[in-house]
Amino acid sequence: MRYFLVGWLVVLALITVVELDARLVRIRRIRRLVGADEHDAQITDFRVSPLDDEGVFKYAFKTSNGIDVQAAGNALETIGIYSYTSPEGVPIETRYIADELGFHVVGRHLPQPPPTPDYILRSLEYIRTHTEDGKLKPHVF
C-alpha cells in the first residue's frame, strides 16, 4: 500500500512538471510572436472625461507600441475604436458598438461573407410573392 501511494505521488509530480513546462513553452511562444517591446509597453497618453449630467463617459489612451483606444458611451450603449499593428506589420482598426442588441464590430481585417447567389435571391423573391401552393399573392409589392 505504501509503495502504491508513493507511486501515485510520483505520477502526480510528473504530471505537474509536464503541465508547467507546457505552460512555459506557450508563454515563450507568445512572447516571441508579440516581441519584447510589447511586454514592456507603456501608456503614453491617457485621457478620461468625468461623467457629464447625462451619464456619458469618454476615455482614450495610447501605448508606446502603437495601440490606440477610444470609447464613449453611457450605461446602455458604448461606441469605440481601437487600432494597432499586427505582428505581420498590417495596421488593424476596429470600430464597435455595444448596446442592448449585443456587441457589433466592423473592421477591414474581419472576414466578410460571400455575396448571396442570384438563384437564392430569386428563390427568396418567389417565396415572398407566392403562396405555398404556387399562386401569386395578392397585393404584394
Side-chain angles (χ1 to χ4, degrees):
M1 180 73 162
R2 184 175 174 184
Y3 293 113
F4 179 75
L5 290 175
V6 171
W8 272 108
L9 288 175
V10 169
V11 169
L12 288 174
L14 287 173
I15 290 172
T16 303
V17 169
V18 170
E19 286 179 1
L20 287 175
D21 187 49
R23 185 167 184 248
L24 287 174
V25 168
R26 282 194 303 267
I27 291 171
R28 287 183 188 129
R29 282 185 191 155
I30 291 169
R31 285 186 180 159
R32 206 175 25 224
L33 282 173
V34 175
D37 60 331
E38 299 289 324
H39 179 66
D40 299 323
Q42 301 290 319
I43 295 176
T44 58
D45 184 21
F46 184 72
R47 290 172 276 137
V48 176
S49 298
L51 290 176
D52 62 13
D53 295 338
E54 296 175 8
V56 175
F57 68 87
K58 295 179 187 176
Y59 71 86
F61 67 88
K62 293 182 182 182
T63 63
S64 60
N65 59 352
I67 296 173
D68 188 0
V69 178
Q70 300 174 34
N74 58 32
L76 300 176
E77 179 180 68
T78 300
I79 59 171
I81 181 172
Y82 58 89
S83 61
Y84 60 94
T85 302
S86 74
E88 297 80 22
V90 178
I92 304 293
E93 181 177 285
T94 306
R95 297 174 183 269
Y96 65 89
I97 297 176
D99 58 15
E100 68 272 5
L101 300 176
F103 185 74
H104 311 283
V105 187
V106 177
R108 288 187 175 146
H109 63 287
L110 299 173
Q112 299 295 318
T116 306
D118 287 338
Y119 66 91
I120 296 294
L121 294 174
R122 287 193 307 270
S123 296
L124 291 171
E125 180 61 20
Y126 183 85
I127 291 169
R128 187 182 74 79
T129 58
H130 290 77
T131 61
E132 288 182 25
D133 58 357
K135 296 180 182 173
L136 192 61
K137 289 181 183 176
H139 307 294
V140 176
F141 298 98

PDB file of all heavy atoms in Angstrom, residues 40-74:
ATOM      1  N   ASP A  40       7.082  45.299 -22.677  1.00  0.00           N
ATOM      2  CA  ASP A  40       7.498  46.487 -21.934  1.00  0.00           C
ATOM      3  C   ASP A  40       6.734  47.743 -22.349  1.00  0.00           C
ATOM      4  O   ASP A  40       7.188  48.847 -22.071  1.00  0.00           O
ATOM      5  CB  ASP A  40       9.005  46.717 -22.140  1.00  0.00           C
ATOM      6  CG  ASP A  40       9.814  45.537 -21.635  1.00  0.00           C
ATOM      7  OD1 ASP A  40       9.428  44.950 -20.609  1.00  0.00           O
ATOM      8  OD2 ASP A  40      10.823  45.197 -22.277  1.00  0.00           O
ATOM      9  N   ALA A  41       5.599  47.584 -23.012  1.00  0.00           N
ATOM     10  CA  ALA A  41       4.838  48.741 -23.493  1.00  0.00           C
ATOM     11  C   ALA A  41       4.380  49.616 -22.326  1.00  0.00           C
ATOM     12  O   ALA A  41       4.019  49.120 -21.260  1.00  0.00           O
ATOM     13  CB  ALA A  41       3.630  48.283 -24.298  1.00  0.00           C
ATOM     14  N   GLN A  42       4.403  50.905 -22.562  1.00  0.00           N
ATOM     15  CA  GLN A  42       3.990  51.879 -21.557  1.00  0.00           C
ATOM     16  C   GLN A  42       2.835  52.714 -22.102  1.00  0.00           C
ATOM     17  O   GLN A  42       2.753  52.947 -23.308  1.00  0.00           O
ATOM     18  CB  GLN A  42       5.161  52.818 -21.222  1.00  0.00           C
ATOM     19  CG  GLN A  42       6.382  52.112 -20.691  1.00  0.00           C
ATOM     20  CD  GLN A  42       6.156  51.548 -19.311  1.00  0.00           C
ATOM     21  OE1 GLN A  42       5.543  52.192 -18.467  1.00  0.00           O
ATOM     22  NE2 GLN A  42       6.646  50.344 -19.067  1.00  0.00           N
ATOM     23  N   ILE A  43       1.974  53.189 -21.239  1.00  0.00           N
ATOM     24  CA  ILE A  43       0.907  54.101 -21.648  1.00  0.00           C
ATOM     25  C   ILE A  43       1.539  55.474 -21.847  1.00  0.00           C
ATOM     26  O   ILE A  43       2.171  56.010 -20.945  1.00  0.00           O
ATOM     27  CB  ILE A  43      -0.221  54.141 -20.607  1.00  0.00           C
ATOM     28  CG1 ILE A  43      -0.898  52.779 -20.541  1.00  0.00           C
ATOM     29  CG2 ILE A  43      -1.223  55.243 -20.947  1.00  0.00           C
ATOM     30  CD1 ILE A  43      -1.959  52.661 -19.483  1.00  0.00           C
ATOM     31  N   THR A  44       1.389  56.022 -23.061  1.00  0.00           N
ATOM     32  CA  THR A  44       1.997  57.316 -23.380  1.00  0.00           C
ATOM     33  C   THR A  44       1.005  58.463 -23.314  1.00  0.00           C
ATOM     34  O   THR A  44       1.409  59.613 -23.173  1.00  0.00           O
ATOM     35  CB  THR A  44       2.632  57.281 -24.786  1.00  0.00           C
ATOM     36  OG1 THR A  44       1.620  56.942 -25.744  1.00  0.00           O
ATOM     37  CG2 THR A  44       3.753  56.254 -24.843  1.00  0.00           C
ATOM     38  N   ASP A  45      -0.278  58.162 -23.438  1.00  0.00           N
ATOM     39  CA  ASP A  45      -1.316  59.199 -23.375  1.00  0.00           C
ATOM     40  C   ASP A  45      -2.556  58.573 -22.762  1.00  0.00           C
ATOM     41  O   ASP A  45      -2.960  57.475 -23.149  1.00  0.00           O
ATOM     42  CB  ASP A  45      -1.617  59.725 -24.780  1.00  0.00           C
ATOM     43  CG  ASP A  45      -2.608  60.878 -24.779  1.00  0.00           C
ATOM     44  OD1 ASP A  45      -2.761  61.534 -23.727  1.00  0.00           O
ATOM     45  OD2 ASP A  45      -3.217  61.136 -25.832  1.00  0.00           O
ATOM     46  N   PHE A  46      -3.158  59.272 -21.810  1.00  0.00           N
ATOM     47  CA  PHE A  46      -4.339  58.748 -21.129  1.00  0.00           C
ATOM     48  C   PHE A  46      -5.260  59.911 -20.825  1.00  0.00           C
ATOM     49  O   PHE A  46      -4.870  60.855 -20.146  1.00  0.00           O
ATOM     50  CB  PHE A  46      -3.926  58.040 -19.836  1.00  0.00           C
ATOM     51  CG  PHE A  46      -5.076  57.389 -19.118  1.00  0.00           C
ATOM     52  CD1 PHE A  46      -5.670  56.251 -19.619  1.00  0.00           C
ATOM     53  CD2 PHE A  46      -5.560  57.926 -17.939  1.00  0.00           C
ATOM     54  CE1 PHE A  46      -6.717  55.643 -18.952  1.00  0.00           C
ATOM     55  CE2 PHE A  46      -6.607  57.330 -17.267  1.00  0.00           C
ATOM     56  CZ  PHE A  46      -7.183  56.192 -17.782  1.00  0.00           C
ATOM     57  N   ARG A  47      -6.477  59.855 -21.384  1.00  0.00           N
ATOM     58  CA  ARG A  47      -7.452  60.918 -21.156  1.00  0.00           C
ATOM     59  C   ARG A  47      -8.774  60.308 -20.703  1.00  0.00           C
ATOM     60  O   ARG A  47      -9.260  59.365 -21.317  1.00  0.00           O
ATOM     61  CB  ARG A  47      -7.678  61.723 -22.437  1.00  0.00           C
ATOM     62  CG  ARG A  47      -6.488  62.582 -22.818  1.00  0.00           C
ATOM     63  CD  ARG A  47      -6.657  63.210 -24.177  1.00  0.00           C
ATOM     64  NE  ARG A  47      -6.230  62.195 -25.159  1.00  0.00           N
ATOM     65  CZ  ARG A  47      -6.876  61.941 -26.274  1.00  0.00           C
ATOM     66  NH1 ARG A  47      -7.954  62.572 -26.595  1.00  0.00           N
ATOM     67  NH2 ARG A  47      -6.421  61.009 -27.104  1.00  0.00           N
ATOM     68  N   VAL A  48      -9.330  60.864 -19.641  1.00  0.00           N
ATOM     69  CA  VAL A  48     -10.632  60.417 -19.139  1.00  0.00           C
ATOM     70  C   VAL A  48     -11.457  61.645 -18.835  1.00  0.00           C
ATOM     71  O   VAL A  48     -10.998  62.564 -18.163  1.00  0.00           O
ATOM     72  CB  VAL A  48     -10.479  59.571 -17.853  1.00  0.00           C
ATOM     73  CG1 VAL A  48     -11.840  59.203 -17.298  1.00  0.00           C
ATOM     74  CG2 VAL A  48      -9.662  58.340 -18.118  1.00  0.00           C
ATOM     75  N   SER A  49     -12.679  61.654 -19.363  1.00  0.00           N
ATOM     76  CA  SER A  49     -13.607  62.735 -19.029  1.00  0.00           C
ATOM     77  C   SER A  49     -14.576  62.219 -17.985  1.00  0.00           C
ATOM     78  O   SER A  49     -15.122  61.121 -18.129  1.00  0.00           O
ATOM     79  CB  SER A  49     -14.391  63.170 -20.268  1.00  0.00           C
ATOM     80  OG  SER A  49     -13.523  63.676 -21.241  1.00  0.00           O
ATOM     81  N   PRO A  50     -14.807  62.984 -16.933  1.00  0.00           N
ATOM     82  CA  PRO A  50     -15.762  62.529 -15.918  1.00  0.00           C
ATOM     83  C   PRO A  50     -17.173  62.468 -16.509  1.00  0.00           C
ATOM     84  O   PRO A  50     -17.463  63.087 -17.530  1.00  0.00           O
ATOM     85  CB  PRO A  50     -15.660  63.596 -14.829  1.00  0.00           C
ATOM     86  CG  PRO A  50     -15.027  64.770 -15.469  1.00  0.00           C
ATOM     87  CD  PRO A  50     -14.232  64.281 -16.628  1.00  0.00           C
ATOM     88  N   LEU A  51     -18.023  61.697 -15.862  1.00  0.00           N
ATOM     89  CA  LEU A  51     -19.411  61.601 -16.316  1.00  0.00           C
ATOM     90  C   LEU A  51     -20.041  62.985 -16.373  1.00  0.00           C
ATOM     91  O   LEU A  51     -19.873  63.790 -15.459  1.00  0.00           O
ATOM     92  CB  LEU A  51     -20.223  60.728 -15.362  1.00  0.00           C
ATOM     93  CG  LEU A  51     -19.913  59.241 -15.346  1.00  0.00           C
ATOM     94  CD1 LEU A  51     -20.746  58.559 -14.272  1.00  0.00           C
ATOM     95  CD2 LEU A  51     -20.187  58.616 -16.690  1.00  0.00           C
ATOM     96  N   ASP A  52     -20.762  63.242 -17.474  1.00  0.00           N
ATOM     97  CA  ASP A  52     -21.467  64.523 -17.547  1.00  0.00           C
ATOM     98  C   ASP A  52     -22.849  64.378 -16.908  1.00  0.00           C
ATOM     99  O   ASP A  52     -23.162  63.343 -16.303  1.00  0.00           O
ATOM    100  CB  ASP A  52     -21.543  65.022 -18.991  1.00  0.00           C
ATOM    101  CG  ASP A  52     -22.328  64.092 -19.909  1.00  0.00           C
ATOM    102  OD1 ASP A  52     -23.020  63.180 -19.420  1.00  0.00           O
ATOM    103  OD2 ASP A  52     -22.269  64.294 -21.132  1.00  0.00           O
ATOM    104  N   ASP A  53     -23.679  65.388 -17.063  1.00  0.00           N
ATOM    105  CA  ASP A  53     -25.005  65.384 -16.427  1.00  0.00           C
ATOM    106  C   ASP A  53     -25.905  64.265 -16.944  1.00  0.00           C
ATOM    107  O   ASP A  53     -26.815  63.830 -16.249  1.00  0.00           O
ATOM    108  CB  ASP A  53     -25.698  66.734 -16.654  1.00  0.00           C
ATOM    109  CG  ASP A  53     -24.958  67.867 -15.963  1.00  0.00           C
ATOM    110  OD1 ASP A  53     -24.197  67.577 -15.010  1.00  0.00           O
ATOM    111  OD2 ASP A  53     -25.132  69.025 -16.382  1.00  0.00           O
ATOM    112  N   GLU A  54     -25.652  63.802 -18.165  1.00  0.00           N
ATOM    113  CA  GLU A  54     -26.477  62.742 -18.754  1.00  0.00           C
ATOM    114  C   GLU A  54     -25.864  61.352 -18.560  1.00  0.00           C
ATOM    115  O   GLU A  54     -26.362  60.374 -19.095  1.00  0.00           O
ATOM    116  CB  GLU A  54     -26.684  63.030 -20.235  1.00  0.00           C
ATOM    117  CG  GLU A  54     -27.466  64.317 -20.473  1.00  0.00           C
ATOM    118  CD  GLU A  54     -27.559  64.663 -21.946  1.00  0.00           C
ATOM    119  OE1 GLU A  54     -27.153  63.839 -22.792  1.00  0.00           O
ATOM    120  OE2 GLU A  54     -28.037  65.759 -22.249  1.00  0.00           O
ATOM    121  N   GLY A  55     -24.768  61.261 -17.825  1.00  0.00           N
ATOM    122  CA  GLY A  55     -24.143  59.977 -17.553  1.00  0.00           C
ATOM    123  C   GLY A  55     -23.262  59.461 -18.668  1.00  0.00           C
ATOM    124  O   GLY A  55     -23.003  58.260 -18.762  1.00  0.00           O
ATOM    125  N   VAL A  56     -22.771  60.347 -19.525  1.00  0.00           N
ATOM    126  CA  VAL A  56     -21.915  59.942 -20.640  1.00  0.00           C
ATOM    127  C   VAL A  56     -20.452  59.973 -20.198  1.00  0.00           C
ATOM    128  O   VAL A  56     -19.998  60.936 -19.593  1.00  0.00           O
ATOM    129  CB  VAL A  56     -22.130  60.875 -21.863  1.00  0.00           C
ATOM    130  CG1 VAL A  56     -21.155  60.548 -22.972  1.00  0.00           C
ATOM    131  CG2 VAL A  56     -23.566  60.764 -22.355  1.00  0.00           C
ATOM    132  N   PHE A  57     -19.727  58.918 -20.510  1.00  0.00           N
ATOM    133  CA  PHE A  57     -18.300  58.860 -20.187  1.00  0.00           C
ATOM    134  C   PHE A  57     -17.488  58.880 -21.484  1.00  0.00           C
ATOM    135  O   PHE A  57     -17.989  58.548 -22.557  1.00  0.00           O
ATOM    136  CB  PHE A  57     -17.967  57.596 -19.397  1.00  0.00           C
ATOM    137  CG  PHE A  57     -18.123  56.333 -20.205  1.00  0.00           C
ATOM    138  CD1 PHE A  57     -17.074  55.844 -20.981  1.00  0.00           C
ATOM    139  CD2 PHE A  57     -19.319  55.634 -20.193  1.00  0.00           C
ATOM    140  CE1 PHE A  57     -17.221  54.692 -21.729  1.00  0.00           C
ATOM    141  CE2 PHE A  57     -19.469  54.480 -20.945  1.00  0.00           C
ATOM    142  CZ  PHE A  57     -18.426  54.007 -21.709  1.00  0.00           C
ATOM    143  N   LYS A  58     -16.231  59.250 -21.376  1.00  0.00           N
ATOM    144  CA  LYS A  58     -15.301  59.231 -22.509  1.00  0.00           C
ATOM    145  C   LYS A  58     -13.921  58.883 -21.964  1.00  0.00           C
ATOM    146  O   LYS A  58     -13.540  59.351 -20.895  1.00  0.00           O
ATOM    147  CB  LYS A  58     -15.227  60.592 -23.193  1.00  0.00           C
ATOM    148  CG  LYS A  58     -16.498  61.029 -23.850  1.00  0.00           C
ATOM    149  CD  LYS A  58     -16.319  62.405 -24.470  1.00  0.00           C
ATOM    150  CE  LYS A  58     -17.645  62.912 -24.991  1.00  0.00           C
ATOM    151  NZ  LYS A  58     -17.556  64.272 -25.505  1.00  0.00           N
ATOM    152  N   TYR A  59     -13.195  58.063 -22.717  1.00  0.00           N
ATOM    153  CA  TYR A  59     -11.800  57.804 -22.359  1.00  0.00           C
ATOM    154  C   TYR A  59     -11.007  57.460 -23.611  1.00  0.00           C
ATOM    155  O   TYR A  59     -11.570  57.059 -24.634  1.00  0.00           O
ATOM    156  CB  TYR A  59     -11.664  56.701 -21.307  1.00  0.00           C
ATOM    157  CG  TYR A  59     -11.980  55.309 -21.801  1.00  0.00           C
ATOM    158  CD1 TYR A  59     -11.004  54.526 -22.410  1.00  0.00           C
ATOM    159  CD2 TYR A  59     -13.248  54.763 -21.638  1.00  0.00           C
ATOM    160  CE1 TYR A  59     -11.295  53.247 -22.852  1.00  0.00           C
ATOM    161  CE2 TYR A  59     -13.542  53.493 -22.070  1.00  0.00           C
ATOM    162  CZ  TYR A  59     -12.562  52.732 -22.680  1.00  0.00           C
ATOM    163  OH  TYR A  59     -12.843  51.474 -23.109  1.00  0.00           O
ATOM    164  N   ALA A  60      -9.714  57.647 -23.532  1.00  0.00           N
ATOM    165  CA  ALA A  60      -8.808  57.308 -24.617  1.00  0.00           C
ATOM    166  C   ALA A  60      -7.428  57.073 -24.042  1.00  0.00           C
ATOM    167  O   ALA A  60      -7.058  57.673 -23.037  1.00  0.00           O
ATOM    168  CB  ALA A  60      -8.771  58.434 -25.644  1.00  0.00           C
ATOM    169  N   PHE A  61      -6.694  56.178 -24.674  1.00  0.00           N
ATOM    170  CA  PHE A  61      -5.294  56.002 -24.288  1.00  0.00           C
ATOM    171  C   PHE A  61      -4.492  55.492 -25.471  1.00  0.00           C
ATOM    172  O   PHE A  61      -5.026  54.922 -26.407  1.00  0.00           O
ATOM    173  CB  PHE A  61      -5.136  55.096 -23.065  1.00  0.00           C
ATOM    174  CG  PHE A  61      -5.520  53.654 -23.282  1.00  0.00           C
ATOM    175  CD1 PHE A  61      -4.584  52.734 -23.753  1.00  0.00           C
ATOM    176  CD2 PHE A  61      -6.802  53.220 -22.974  1.00  0.00           C
ATOM    177  CE1 PHE A  61      -4.936  51.412 -23.933  1.00  0.00           C
ATOM    178  CE2 PHE A  61      -7.150  51.897 -23.148  1.00  0.00           C
ATOM    179  CZ  PHE A  61      -6.216  50.985 -23.631  1.00  0.00           C
ATOM    180  N   LYS A  62      -3.189  55.736 -25.416  1.00  0.00           N
ATOM    181  CA  LYS A  62      -2.242  55.256 -26.411  1.00  0.00           C
ATOM    182  C   LYS A  62      -1.088  54.602 -25.666  1.00  0.00           C
ATOM    183  O   LYS A  62      -0.770  54.983 -24.542  1.00  0.00           O
ATOM    184  CB  LYS A  62      -1.706  56.407 -27.262  1.00  0.00           C
ATOM    185  CG  LYS A  62      -2.749  57.033 -28.148  1.00  0.00           C
ATOM    186  CD  LYS A  62      -2.138  58.135 -28.986  1.00  0.00           C
ATOM    187  CE  LYS A  62      -3.227  58.781 -29.833  1.00  0.00           C
ATOM    188  NZ  LYS A  62      -2.700  59.824 -30.699  1.00  0.00           N
ATOM    189  N   THR A  63      -0.464  53.634 -26.319  1.00  0.00           N
ATOM    190  CA  THR A  63       0.686  52.975 -25.716  1.00  0.00           C
ATOM    191  C   THR A  63       1.912  53.150 -26.604  1.00  0.00           C
ATOM    192  O   THR A  63       1.803  53.493 -27.777  1.00  0.00           O
ATOM    193  CB  THR A  63       0.422  51.471 -25.504  1.00  0.00           C
ATOM    194  OG1 THR A  63       0.223  50.853 -26.769  1.00  0.00           O
ATOM    195  CG2 THR A  63      -0.790  51.240 -24.624  1.00  0.00           C
ATOM    196  N   SER A  64       3.062  52.887 -26.026  1.00  0.00           N
ATOM    197  CA  SER A  64       4.323  53.059 -26.744  1.00  0.00           C
ATOM    198  C   SER A  64       4.488  52.078 -27.900  1.00  0.00           C
ATOM    199  O   SER A  64       5.300  52.302 -28.782  1.00  0.00           O
ATOM    200  CB  SER A  64       5.492  52.906 -25.772  1.00  0.00           C
ATOM    201  OG  SER A  64       5.466  51.622 -25.170  1.00  0.00           O
ATOM    202  N   ASN A  65       3.721  51.000 -27.919  1.00  0.00           N
ATOM    203  CA  ASN A  65       3.824  50.036 -29.007  1.00  0.00           C
ATOM    204  C   ASN A  65       2.758  50.243 -30.086  1.00  0.00           C
ATOM    205  O   ASN A  65       2.531  49.372 -30.906  1.00  0.00           O
ATOM    206  CB  ASN A  65       3.762  48.610 -28.461  1.00  0.00           C
ATOM    207  CG  ASN A  65       2.486  48.329 -27.715  1.00  0.00           C
ATOM    208  OD1 ASN A  65       1.691  49.231 -27.469  1.00  0.00           O
ATOM    209  ND2 ASN A  65       2.291  47.091 -27.333  1.00  0.00           N
ATOM    210  N   GLY A  66       2.084  51.395 -30.076  1.00  0.00           N
ATOM    211  CA  GLY A  66       1.177  51.745 -31.166  1.00  0.00           C
ATOM    212  C   GLY A  66      -0.285  51.403 -30.973  1.00  0.00           C
ATOM    213  O   GLY A  66      -1.075  51.563 -31.897  1.00  0.00           O
ATOM    214  N   ILE A  67      -0.683  50.951 -29.818  1.00  0.00           N
ATOM    215  CA  ILE A  67      -2.099  50.673 -29.563  1.00  0.00           C
ATOM    216  C   ILE A  67      -2.797  51.989 -29.262  1.00  0.00           C
ATOM    217  O   ILE A  67      -2.303  52.803 -28.489  1.00  0.00           O
ATOM    218  CB  ILE A  67      -2.271  49.684 -28.393  1.00  0.00           C
ATOM    219  CG1 ILE A  67      -1.653  48.344 -28.757  1.00  0.00           C
ATOM    220  CG2 ILE A  67      -3.744  49.532 -28.029  1.00  0.00           C
ATOM    221  CD1 ILE A  67      -1.615  47.357 -27.604  1.00  0.00           C
ATOM    222  N   ASP A  68      -3.950  52.203 -29.885  1.00  0.00           N
ATOM    223  CA  ASP A  68      -4.731  53.423 -29.699  1.00  0.00           C
ATOM    224  C   ASP A  68      -6.171  53.004 -29.417  1.00  0.00           C
ATOM    225  O   ASP A  68      -6.768  52.269 -30.204  1.00  0.00           O
ATOM    226  CB  ASP A  68      -4.659  54.277 -30.958  1.00  0.00           C
ATOM    227  CG  ASP A  68      -5.272  55.644 -30.795  1.00  0.00           C
ATOM    228  OD1 ASP A  68      -5.757  55.959 -29.696  1.00  0.00           O
ATOM    229  OD2 ASP A  68      -5.281  56.402 -31.778  1.00  0.00           O
ATOM    230  N   VAL A  69      -6.731  53.451 -28.302  1.00  0.00           N
ATOM    231  CA  VAL A  69      -8.083  53.064 -27.883  1.00  0.00           C
ATOM    232  C   VAL A  69      -8.879  54.310 -27.541  1.00  0.00           C
ATOM    233  O   VAL A  69      -8.368  55.208 -26.869  1.00  0.00           O
ATOM    234  CB  VAL A  69      -8.032  52.133 -26.647  1.00  0.00           C
ATOM    235  CG1 VAL A  69      -9.432  51.777 -26.177  1.00  0.00           C
ATOM    236  CG2 VAL A  69      -7.228  50.888 -26.937  1.00  0.00           C
ATOM    237  N   GLN A  70     -10.128  54.364 -28.029  1.00  0.00           N
ATOM    238  CA  GLN A  70     -11.041  55.466 -27.692  1.00  0.00           C
ATOM    239  C   GLN A  70     -12.429  54.880 -27.500  1.00  0.00           C
ATOM    240  O   GLN A  70     -12.833  53.993 -28.246  1.00  0.00           O
ATOM    241  CB  GLN A  70     -11.094  56.495 -28.812  1.00  0.00           C
ATOM    242  CG  GLN A  70      -9.762  57.140 -29.126  1.00  0.00           C
ATOM    243  CD  GLN A  70      -9.854  58.034 -30.347  1.00  0.00           C
ATOM    244  OE1 GLN A  70     -10.877  58.674 -30.588  1.00  0.00           O
ATOM    245  NE2 GLN A  70      -8.800  58.070 -31.123  1.00  0.00           N
ATOM    246  N   ALA A  71     -13.154  55.381 -26.530  1.00  0.00           N
ATOM    247  CA  ALA A  71     -14.516  54.914 -26.300  1.00  0.00           C
ATOM    248  C   ALA A  71     -15.327  56.004 -25.617  1.00  0.00           C
ATOM    249  O   ALA A  71     -14.782  56.862 -24.925  1.00  0.00           O
ATOM    250  CB  ALA A  71     -14.529  53.650 -25.450  1.00  0.00           C
ATOM    251  N   ALA A  72     -16.624  55.955 -25.855  1.00  0.00           N
ATOM    252  CA  ALA A  72     -17.559  56.881 -25.225  1.00  0.00           C
ATOM    253  C   ALA A  72     -18.904  56.175 -25.119  1.00  0.00           C
ATOM    254  O   ALA A  72     -19.224  55.290 -25.902  1.00  0.00           O
ATOM    255  CB  ALA A  72     -17.688  58.158 -26.043  1.00  0.00           C
ATOM    256  N   GLY A  73     -19.678  56.571 -24.143  1.00  0.00           N
ATOM    257  CA  GLY A  73     -20.988  55.961 -24.016  1.00  0.00           C
ATOM    258  C   GLY A  73     -21.617  56.235 -22.670  1.00  0.00           C
ATOM    259  O   GLY A  73     -21.195  57.121 -21.932  1.00  0.00           O
ATOM    260  N   ASN A  74     -22.642  55.435 -22.401  1.00  0.00           N
ATOM    261  CA  ASN A  74     -23.336  55.521 -21.119  1.00  0.00           C
ATOM    262  C   ASN A  74     -23.613  54.101 -20.639  1.00  0.00           C
ATOM    263  O   ASN A  74     -23.060  53.154 -21.184  1.00  0.00           O
ATOM    264  CB  ASN A  74     -24.615  56.353 -21.249  1.00  0.00           C
ATOM    265  CG  ASN A  74     -25.566  55.785 -22.291  1.00  0.00           C
ATOM    266  OD1 ASN A  74     -25.627  54.581 -22.500  1.00  0.00           O
ATOM    267  ND2 ASN A  74     -26.317  56.650 -22.946  1.00  0.00           N
TER     268      ASN A  74
END
